[in-house]
Amino acid sequence: MTVDTEITTPALIMGIESSCDETAVAIVSEDKKILSNRVLTQLDEHSPYGGVVPEIAARSHIDHLSKLVEISLDEADIDFDDLSAIAVTSGPGLIGGVMVGLMTAKSIAFARGLPLISVNHLEGHALSIRLTEEVAFPYLLLLVSGGHCQLLVVKGVGNYERLGTTIDDAAGEAFDKTAKVLGLGYPGGPAVEKAALTGDPKRFNFPRPLKGKPGSNFSFSGLKSAVVRARDELCENQGDKLTHQDICDLAASFQQALTDAIIDRVKNSIDYYLDHYTPKHHILVVAGGVAANSEIKSRLAVLCEKHGFTLMAPPMALCTDNGAMIAWTGVEKWRKQDFASLETGAVARWPLDPDAPPAVGAGVKA
Ligand code: KG4
Ligand code: ZN
């Protein structure tokens, strides 16, 4: 008698990300191996404008995405036929760029007969920690990037409670705008952090928006305006000139105020989480580009220690926008056989928790 022994290899998922200014493709296996993770940043194309220009971003994705898919397959040493599915960001984000990624993914899925998995970009950030660490649901998540600033309870795949969001700017956006008014270039986060290293965080007493108020929403536009006013006042008094030290002090005082505000909001979310959930472990995950900031990370670590939480962050390459987090979310959805139809459309706005009440005073970003 012969017995068929079926060798089952782990699923391989390709992830495509093009919702902002990174064109990214990755291939990730079900058993958490990153076979390829290619990110092409458009920084040089946008920096003359001091921010991301949607039309330039979309055109650049068109120019580079197909080639990046090829490079990724080569690097992983596989063919389309080895893939189990194609996962793609279908929102939220800059709609032109999202459409480029989605059309590419749909074309591959159609031509190769592969299932399509539609991924929420925010869910990519939310689940990326599970690619590199064993983290069970639920956990608390601080998502801080250029486009988003949210506190969420990650209850499961596709299952979130949003505790707070920004009612105006995202944290990364506040860094970028502050860098612009201080003449520090783009992207602002790393430049402001560097200048702050030699600055006096106490020289300017900037507002800590919403600090001491209940809830976990964020607001940063008033802080940015306060930096502009302080800069203008200095210029007026000093013959239109800022010294290098002025810039560093402004940067340090801004960073300090923003960090204080974030810590206050996270503290409220920890209280809420402990009141409303009985998690097996107490974990705060921080993800998004702003998680690169050492000051914010070390203050979060202190806060976590005080409340018996462990602070976790994906490795930096998985914190900023990348394809691996989309591919990994693809794995999580593939396990649930959560596939999308080829009719799936790109969406600019796609909240993780559709039941969350709108933040009072919020603009489109909520
Ligand atoms: O997650 P990400 O790469 O892209 C978005 O989805 O937005 O985040 C980019 C943001 C930018 O606003 C950038 O200024 C900020 O992250 N950022 C930082 C630092 N590095 C990057 N903000 C503060 N400190 C940093 N070191
Ligand atoms: Zn992002």
Side-chain angles (χ1 to χ4, degrees):
M1 192 173 83
T2 57
V3 178
D4 282 344
T5 47
E6 195 186 326
I7 300 168
T8 49
T9 50
L12 290 180
I13 312 277
M14 173 177 280
I16 294 177
E17 158 61 34
S18 58
S19 66
C20 192
D21 59 343
E22 264 94 25
T23 315
V25 179
I27 296 163
V28 167
S29 71
E30 192 189 357
D31 59 349
K32 303 190 173 191
K33 293 199 178 73
I34 301 176
L35 278 66
S36 170
N37 187 22
R38 290 286 179 150
V39 181
L40 212 63
T41 177
Q42 302 172 358
L43 262 187
D44 293 347
E45 288 161 86
H46 299 289
S47 58
Y49 306 94
V52 179
V53 183
E55 181 64 22
I56 293 176
R59 284 170 191 269
S60 182
H61 291 308
I62 291 173
D63 289 346
H64 299 108
L65 190 50
S66 301
K67 186 73 197 159
L68 215 57
V69 167
E70 252 177 61
I71 291 172
S72 228
L73 286 169
D74 276 355
E75 187 171 54
D77 199 19
I78 61 164
D79 193 359
F80 281 122
D81 297 336
D82 299 311
L83 291 171
S84 313
I86 304 284
V88 60
T89 298
S90 36
L94 301 174
I95 200 73
V98 176
M99 283 168 70
V100 174
L102 190 56
M103 291 310 293
T104 306
K106 281 186 190 177
S107 311
I108 298 169
F110 180 69
R112 299 285 168 162
L114 289 167
L116 179 75
I117 299 174
S118 165
V119 174
N120 181 318
H121 178 85
L122 302 176
E123 183 156 43
H125 280 299
L127 299 181
S128 60
I129 191 73
R130 286 164 52 88
L131 170 55
T132 54
E133 309 278 349
E134 293 303 319
V135 183
F137 300 120
Y139 52 89
L140 197 57
L141 172 77
L142 170 66
L143 173 56
V144 269
S145 70
H148 302 278
C149 192
Q150 303 198 353
L151 275 157
L152 297 142
V153 180
V154 184
K155 296 191 276 185
V157 179
N159 190 5
Y160 297 85
E161 181 179 356
R162 196 189 72 197
L163 307 184
T165 187
T166 181
I167 62 171
D168 41 58
D169 293 346
E173 200 176 356
F175 269 100
D176 294 334
K177 287 178 174 172
T178 296
K180 202 170 179 178
V181 302
L182 298 181
L184 290 172
Y186 176 84
V192 170
E193 182 175 14
K194 188 162 174 246
L197 282 176
T198 49
D200 174 4
K202 295 205 173 77
R203 177 163 166 204
F204 302 95
N205 186 19
F206 291 139
R208 275 70 173 152
L210 299 179
K211 189 172 174 214
K213 299 254 165 60
S216 295
N217 282 334
F218 300 88
S219 167
F220 298 114
S221 72
L223 172 56
K224 179 205 64 193
S225 307
V227 176
V228 172
R229 279 196 301 277
R231 179 206 61 181
D232 290 350
E233 231 168 77
L234 281 175
C235 284
E236 221 169 276
N237 298 336
Q238 298 174 179
D240 229 15
K241 271 202 202 90
L242 288 183
T243 66
H244 176 68
Q245 195 56 49
D246 290 336
I247 292 171
C248 294
D249 293 346
L250 284 163
S253 302
F254 159 80
Q255 185 174 267
Q256 180 84 32
L258 180 135
T259 307
D260 283 351
I262 287 182
I263 295 296
D264 179 74
R265 312 282 79 204
V266 176
K267 154 87 177 60
N268 284 0
S269 74
I270 287 178
D271 291 345
Y272 177 93
Y273 184 56
L274 294 177
D275 276 354
H276 292 79
Y277 291 84
T278 41
K280 287 188 283 293
H281 50 207
H282 292 168
I283 287 178
L284 171 70
V285 172
V286 57
V290 181
N293 188 282
S294 308
E295 173 67 15
I296 295 175
K297 258 231 293 271
S298 67
R299 292 277 305 280
L300 284 172
V302 171
L303 179 78
C304 281
E305 206 181 334
K306 203 165 148 200
H307 293 273
F309 272 63
T310 305
L311 178 67
M312 299 179 97
M316 215 43 236
L318 300 185
C319 247
T320 50
D321 288 352
N322 65 88
M325 70 182 193
I326 304 305
W328 174 251
T329 303
V331 170
E332 301 251 29
K333 293 184 91 165
W334 180 85
R335 286 176 177 153
K336 299 176 85 179
Q337 301 284 290
D338 184 354
F339 301 127
S341 97
L342 291 179
E343 308 296 313
T344 300
V347 280
R349 196 175 167 277
W350 182 1
L352 279 179
D353 174 5
D355 298 328
V360 176
V364 287
K365 292 200 184 75

